[in-house]
Amino acid sequence: MAKAKTSGERLARGRKKLRQIHGPGGEAVIAGLGEIAPDLARYIVEFAFGDIYCRGGLTLKERQIATVAGLVALGHSQPQLRSHIHGALNVGCSRKEILEIVIQMALYAGFPAASNAANSAQMVFRERDSRGIKG
Amino acid sequence: MAKAKTSGERLARGRKKLRQIHGPGGEAVIAGLGEIAPDLARYIVEFAFGDIYCRGGLTLKERQIATVAGLVALGHSQPQLRSHIHGALNVGCSRKEILEIVIQMALYAGFPAASNAANSAQMVFRERDSRGIKG
Amino acid sequence: MAKAKTSGERLARGRKKLRQIHGPGGEAVIAGLGEIAPDLARYIVEFAFGDIYCRGGLTLKERQIATVAGLVALGHSQPQLRSHIHGALNVGCSRKEILEIVIQMALYAGFPAASNAANSAQMVFRERDSRGIKG
Amino acid sequence: MAKAKTSGERLARGRKKLRQIHGPGGEAVIAGLGEIAPDLARYIVEFAFGDIYCRGGLTLKERQIATVAGLVALGHSQPQLRSHIHGALNVGCSRKEILEIVIQMALYAGFPAASNAANSAQMVFRERDSRGIKG
Amino acid sequence: MAKAKTSGERLARGRKKLRQIHGPGGEAVIAGLGEIAPDLARYIVEFAFGDIYCRGGLTLKERQIATVAGLVALGHSQPQLRSHIHGALNVGCSRKEILEIVIQMALYAGFPAASNAANSAQMVFRERDSRGIKG
Amino acid sequence: MAKAKTSGERLARGRKKLRQIHGPGGEAVIAGLGEIAPDLARYIVEFAFGDIYCRGGLTLKERQIATVAGLVALGHSQPQLRSHIHGALNVGCSRKEILEIVIQMALYAGFPAASNAANSAQMVFRERDSRGIKG
């Protein structure tokens, strides 16, 4: 990883990565969060997307597999899970792979967490269908 | 997935998959659990390894990425996390990739969960070094 | 437990147990889940209801007491909690017993988890009243 | 702490503390809960507010900082989190301090828990604005 | 529930219930906790055992089924889980029933939580064997 | 908050804050973590201590109250809880205040989480006594 030297560089890099994973919708979510908690929104772009997501070591697809799995296991953050299912599909996961991750997590976090995640996946898939997005 | 027709077939398939991921150590863990809760041990071989782990849709490496991420996020099951870090390394993850999954989860489950997982990873790496296991 | 020999037998046994606990509504939930994740829906019928719920060792009422308590403690799966409160009432728990389980869990998972569970119980009780279901 | 001798004294003390922290809205929430689970509602007034919240050792503001932080970390109880953000503001926390607690918890419970908490804070702030409440 | 009028009555009632469930060992645990946090220890006797455990509505055995299930689901409190497995056995649960509760929770909290709970159960059973305790 | 411009400035600021809260022991923990996961260790100094802990809006004591409360509520990270109890005492919390935070969390995360936290507090207090540390 090339270390970004300044906050501005980290932000620019994070915004680019955010767009790559979440598209324009991701920036809208961050902008919404920024109305109430601008520093939290900034840390998410700067640190989460600018530092962590820009790391090597995993492909972006593998990184999204890990993220979706972690959010299914936590169980309490469905909006973020939906957002990262979108992101995973945007960077090359198939819908079938998303459902496999959900089923795999049934073993570790239980069937209710997996069922709720499957419902979140369905919401994402339908939204993408209605907007004509492939994948 | 070819559906296994009988409990015996599922068990045989699960045992094979368990060996593929966890090596002989996995069977020892299951055998230990089987002393106290034989049916729970059987469900883990039959259902977890025989049904879920034998599914297609994800490569085995991707499945282990999801599993390790989920266990880091849950935070309360370090022995299983260590076991699945071994398993992930056995099926093609690198040590560097394990640590990337751990770092990625810092975003979703917090730094203490990630730090504890990093310590578990270190225990696994040292054990593998001391036993001369590559990867 | 008599071991079901094939996937078909386990499914049939699971469907029967699902109906016994959840009534026709349970099958509707599984069918809905089956639209998005048919294999997950199948595992729930086959493994959760066909294998685990068909075990002896606990009465069905005791098994539902354990399930409701576990879901109150997890805190993040209110739809499943409501479904299993229905199920517990269907197999012989009283409304008063449901509320006692909720109160007991205040000790282990805290008052917010218990309060949310009490609200879920109220939704279930009202639904049953409006549909003229005893118990 | 002066020990309340009887259940009646504990209830009276708890009701007073509940009003001090949550205002009349708090009593309405408890009354709503009391319709379904009167004993749970009573324990919340008697034990949570009458015993625990009446303890010394922390200022009421510090106690609310701890409560808000704990609820952000648990992640599964947004209604209670919103209620206690109101309470914290009522006993002297500033909106800025609430958001700092939320940001601090990003480190321990992850960014999704913090983002959801920030949204809950925004709902509270807007409600207070629309009702003309200072702070 | 007959309401205990004073703190002293609640404590006496709680101590008796604690002994009924946990035997002399329970009082030792509370005494140990009382060295560091006497008020917390008192609330556990007074509120948890004196108020909640003395409620009707569930048999004591059913109450312990709920408690063990909740602690298996939470996953992070093995010492308390072991203590309540002892308690459940003391008030009429069989070892087989304990293991059934653990297996049931595999569905809701995942296999790692269930496996760790099975190991805790084994520690309890062995301790009881070594001390010649039936059940 | 004055924004640190470069990674080096953030690290320097984070190290200073880490020492202020945790003393030399904190640096040793980070150094230990750095052996296995140097980037994770760097993010903790740079982002957690350099960015978040250096924010205004809460006093350092209030920030530690929030942190200790959050870690008690999560329940699965006792080493980090002990480390932050040390930190809270180092920046002005009293032992009595630590125990009050623990008792307050019994309401939100349950008695087992609170009991385990009280035991962790006792370990910290004893270590400080044995090393002759005031507070």
Side-chain angles (χ1 to χ4, degrees):
Chain A
M1 182 187 64
K3 281 187 204 175
K5 287 287 179 281
T6 68
S7 176
E9 287 166 335
R10 295 166 69 223
L11 272 170
R13 191 170 66 174
R15 257 191 224 107
K16 194 174 153 193
K17 183 62 70 177
L18 176 65
R19 256 194 316 274
Q20 183 185 357
I21 299 172
H22 292 295
E27 289 180 288
V29 168
I30 298 292
L33 182 62
E35 283 178 36
I36 178 68
D39 286 345
L40 181 59
R42 181 168 59 81
Y43 292 132
I44 291 175
V45 178
E46 195 179 80
F47 177 67
F49 288 96
D51 288 349
I52 305 292
Y53 270 95
C54 286
R55 296 174 58 84
L58 292 174
T59 66
L60 199 46
K61 181 183 163 183
E62 287 173 337
R63 204 170 280 280
Q64 283 303 104
I65 291 173
T67 300
V68 169
L71 287 166
V72 176
L74 287 173
H76 58 48
S77 288
Q78 298 299 313
Q80 286 80 9
L81 174 59
R82 285 192 290 274
S83 171
H84 279 286
I85 291 173
H86 272 298
L89 295 169
N90 291 342
V91 300
C93 279
S94 67
R95 294 184 182 193
K96 193 176 169 197
E97 287 172 323
I98 297 294
L99 292 173
E100 283 304 317
I101 298 165
V102 167
I103 288 172
Q104 182 73 9
M105 285 303 104
L107 298 176
Y108 302 103
F111 283 98
S115 297
N116 291 333
N119 287 332
S120 279
Q122 188 174 42
M123 292 171 63
V124 170
F125 297 169
R126 283 181 177 163
E127 188 193 333
R128 293 172 83 89
D129 285 342
S130 76
R131 291 165 53 197
I133 302 170
K134 301 286 177 201
Chain B
M1 180 186 66
K3 281 187 204 176
K5 288 284 181 280
T6 67
S7 176
E9 286 166 335
R10 295 165 71 223
L11 272 170
R13 191 169 65 176
R15 257 189 225 110
K16 194 173 153 191
K17 183 63 70 177
L18 177 65
R19 258 194 313 271
Q20 184 186 356
I21 299 172
H22 292 295
E27 289 180 286
V29 168
I30 298 292
L33 182 61
E35 282 177 37
I36 179 67
D39 285 345
L40 181 60
R42 180 167 59 82
Y43 292 134
I44 291 175
V45 178
E46 192 179 82
F47 177 67
F49 288 97
D51 287 350
I52 304 294
Y53 270 95
C54 287
R55 296 174 59 83
L58 292 175
T59 66
L60 199 46
K61 180 182 165 182
E62 287 173 338
R63 206 170 280 280
Q64 283 303 103
I65 291 173
T67 300
V68 169
L71 287 166
V72 176
L74 287 173
H76 58 48
S77 288
Q78 298 300 311
Q80 286 80 9
L81 174 58
R82 285 192 291 272
S83 170
H84 280 286
I85 291 173
H86 272 298
L89 295 170
N90 291 342
V91 301
C93 278
S94 67
R95 294 185 181 192
K96 193 176 169 196
E97 286 172 324
I98 297 294
L99 292 173
E100 283 304 316
I101 299 165
V102 167
I103 288 173
Q104 182 72 9
M105 286 304 103
L107 297 177
Y108 303 102
F111 283 97
S115 297
N116 292 333
N119 287 332
S120 279
Q122 188 174 39
M123 291 170 65
V124 170
F125 298 169
R126 283 181 177 164
E127 187 193 333
R128 292 172 83 88
D129 285 342
S130 76
R131 289 165 51 198
I133 302 171
K134 301 284 178 201
Chain C
M1 183 187 64
K3 282 187 202 174
K5 288 286 181 277
T6 68
S7 175
E9 286 166 335
R10 294 164 70 221
L11 271 171
R13 191 169 65 174
R15 259 191 221 106
K16 194 173 154 192
K17 184 60 71 177
L18 176 65
R19 259 195 312 274
Q20 184 186 357
I21 299 173
H22 292 295
E27 289 179 287
V29 168
I30 298 292
L33 182 61
E35 283 177 36
I36 179 67
D39 286 343
L40 181 60
R42 179 168 59 82
Y43 292 132
I44 291 176
V45 178
E46 195 179 80
F47 177 67
F49 288 97
D51 288 348
I52 304 294
Y53 270 95
C54 286
R55 296 174 58 85
L58 292 174
T59 67
L60 200 45
K61 181 181 164 182
E62 287 172 338
R63 205 170 279 279
Q64 283 302 103
I65 290 173
T67 300
V68 169
L71 288 166
V72 175
L74 287 173
H76 57 48
S77 288
Q78 298 298 313
Q80 286 80 9
L81 174 59
R82 285 192 290 273
S83 172
H84 280 286
I85 291 173
H86 272 298
L89 295 169
N90 291 342
V91 302
C93 279
S94 67
R95 295 184 182 192
K96 194 177 169 196
E97 287 171 324
I98 297 294
L99 292 172
E100 283 305 318
I101 298 165
V102 167
I103 289 172
Q104 182 71 10
M105 284 304 103
L107 298 175
Y108 302 102
F111 284 99
S115 296
N116 291 333
N119 287 333
S120 279
Q122 188 174 39
M123 291 170 64
V124 170
F125 298 169
R126 283 181 177 162
E127 187 192 333
R128 293 172 82 89
D129 285 343
S130 77
R131 290 165 52 198
I133 301 170
K134 300 287 178 200
Chain D
M1 181 186 64
K3 282 187 202 175
K5 286 286 181 277
T6 69
S7 174
E9 286 166 335
R10 294 165 71 222
L11 272 170
R13 191 169 65 174
R15 259 192 222 106
K16 194 173 154 192
K17 184 61 71 178
L18 176 65
R19 257 195 313 273
Q20 184 186 355
I21 299 172
H22 292 295
E27 289 179 288
V29 169
I30 298 291
L33 182 61
E35 282 178 36
I36 179 67
D39 286 345
L40 181 60
R42 180 169 59 81
Y43 292 132
I44 291 175
V45 178
E46 195 179 81
F47 177 67
F49 289 96
D51 288 349
I52 305 292
Y53 270 94
C54 286
R55 296 174 58 84
L58 292 174
T59 67
L60 199 46
K61 181 182 164 183
E62 288 173 337
R63 205 170 280 278
Q64 284 303 104
I65 290 173
T67 299
V68 169
L71 287 165
V72 175
L74 286 173
H76 58 47
S77 288
Q78 298 298 312
Q80 287 79 9
L81 174 59
R82 286 191 289 273
S83 171
H84 280 285
I85 291 173
H86 272 298
L89 295 169
N90 291 341
V91 302
C93 279
S94 68
R95 294 183 182 193
K96 193 176 168 195
E97 286 171 324
I98 297 294
L99 292 173
E100 284 303 319
I101 298 166
V102 167
I103 288 172
Q104 181 73 10
M105 285 303 103
L107 298 176
Y108 303 102
F111 283 98
S115 296
N116 292 332
N119 287 332
S120 279
Q122 188 175 41
M123 292 170 64
V124 170
F125 298 170
R126 283 180 177 163
E127 187 193 333
R128 293 172 82 89
D129 285 343
S130 76
R131 290 164 52 197
I133 301 170
K134 300 287 178 199
Chain E
M1 181 186 64
K3 281 187 204 176
K5 287 285 181 278
T6 67
S7 176
E9 286 167 335
R10 294 165 71 222
L11 271 171
R13 190 169 66 176
R15 258 190 223 108
K16 194 172 153 191
K17 184 60 72 179
L18 177 65
R19 257 195 313 272
Q20 184 185 356
I21 298 172
H22 292 295
E27 288 180 286
V29 169
I30 298 293
L33 182 61
E35 282 177 37
I36 179 68
D39 285 345
L40 181 59
R42 180 168 59 81
Y43 291 134
I44 290 175
V45 178
E46 193 179 82
F47 177 66
F49 287 97
D51 288 350
I52 304 294
Y53 271 94
C54 287
R55 296 174 59 84
L58 292 173
T59 67
L60 199 45
K61 180 182 164 183
E62 288 172 338
R63 205 170 279 280
Q64 284 303 103
I65 291 173
T67 300
V68 169
L71 287 166
V72 176
L74 287 172
H76 58 45
S77 289
Q78 299 299 312
Q80 286 80 9
L81 175 58
R82 285 192 290 273
S83 171
H84 279 287
I85 290 172
H86 272 297
L89 295 169
N90 291 342
V91 301
C93 278
S94 67
R95 294 183 182 192
K96 192 176 170 195
E97 287 172 323
I98 297 294
L99 292 173
E100 283 304 317
I101 298 166
V102 167
I103 289 173
Q104 182 71 10
M105 285 304 103
L107 298 176
Y108 302 103
F111 283 98
S115 297
N116 292 333
N119 287 332
S120 279
Q122 188 175 39
M123 291 171 64
V124 170
F125 298 169
R126 283 181 177 164
E127 186 193 334
R128 292 172 83 88
D129 286 342
S130 75
R131 290 165 52 198
I133 301 170
K134 300 287 178 200
Chain F
M1 183 187 64
K3 282 186 205 175
K5 287 286 181 279
T6 68
S7 175
E9 287 166 336
R10 296 165 71 223
L11 271 171
R13 191 169 67 175
R15 257 190 224 108
K16 194 173 153 192
K17 184 60 72 177
L18 177 65
R19 258 195 313 273
Q20 184 185 356
I21 299 172
H22 292 295
E27 289 180 286
V29 168
I30 298 292
L33 182 61
E35 283 177 37
I36 178 68
D39 285 344
L40 181 60
R42 180 169 58 82
Y43 292 133
I44 291 175
V45 178
E46 193 179 82
F47 178 66
F49 288 96
D51 288 349
I52 305 293
Y53 270 94
C54 286
R55 295 173 59 82
L58 292 174
T59 66
L60 198 46
K61 180 182 165 182
E62 287 172 339
R63 205 171 280 280
Q64 284 303 104
I65 290 173
T67 299
V68 169
L71 288 166
V72 176
L74 287 174
H76 58 48
S77 288
Q78 299 299 312
Q80 286 80 8
L81 174 59
R82 285 191 291 273
S83 171
H84 280 285
I85 291 173
H86 272 298
L89 295 169
N90 291 341
V91 301
C93 278
S94 67
R95 295 184 181 192
K96 193 177 169 193
E97 286 171 324
I98 297 294
L99 292 173
E100 283 304 317
I101 298 166
V102 167
I103 289 173
Q104 182 71 8
M105 285 304 103
L107 297 176
Y108 302 102
F111 284 98
S115 297
N116 292 333
N119 287 332
S120 279
Q122 188 174 38
M123 291 171 64
V124 170
F125 298 170
R126 283 181 177 165
E127 186 192 334
R128 292 172 83 87
D129 285 343
S130 75
R131 290 165 51 197
I133 301 170
K134 299 286 177 200

